[in-house]
Amino acid sequence: MTLPDIHTWWPKLSIEAKHAIREHPDATLSSEVQREIARVTGHEVSDADRLSQQDIDFIATQQEPVD
């Protein structure tokens, strides 16, 4: 399954969620990250939802400090 457009939720994630995604972009999103994305987008997120390669590429370009 696919996630909502990353541009709508990435900027609004917590620092902890961003770190979790950056550390393991190919992994299943943690339940906390799933909840954050759902809260921001109104889209239910499940273990089946994965980052696309385009999402991973976008995250790589986001080098703002997250600490």
Side-chain angles (χ1 to χ4, degrees):
M1 298 185 79
T2 58
L3 293 165
D5 181 23
I6 193 166
H7 298 92
T8 63
W9 54 265
W10 178 260
K12 298 175 184 170
L13 290 184
S14 68
I15 292 168
E16 294 80 14
K18 287 181 178 182
H19 279 295
I21 293 171
R22 283 181 190 231
E23 288 175 21
H24 305 286
D26 294 323
T28 300
L29 299 171
S30 72
S31 59
E32 179 59 35
V33 171
Q34 289 177 24
R35 282 192 296 274
E36 284 197 37
I37 295 170
R39 177 184 48 78
V40 169
T41 66
H43 171 84
E44 188 172 328
V45 180
S46 73
D47 288 344
D49 290 315
R50 303 287 180 153
L51 295 173
S52 67
Q53 186 59 51
Q54 291 85 1
D55 293 340
I56 293 169
D57 294 344
F58 172 78
I59 290 167
T61 69
Q62 301 303 299
Q63 297 300 318
E64 80 277 3
V66 293
D67 291 297

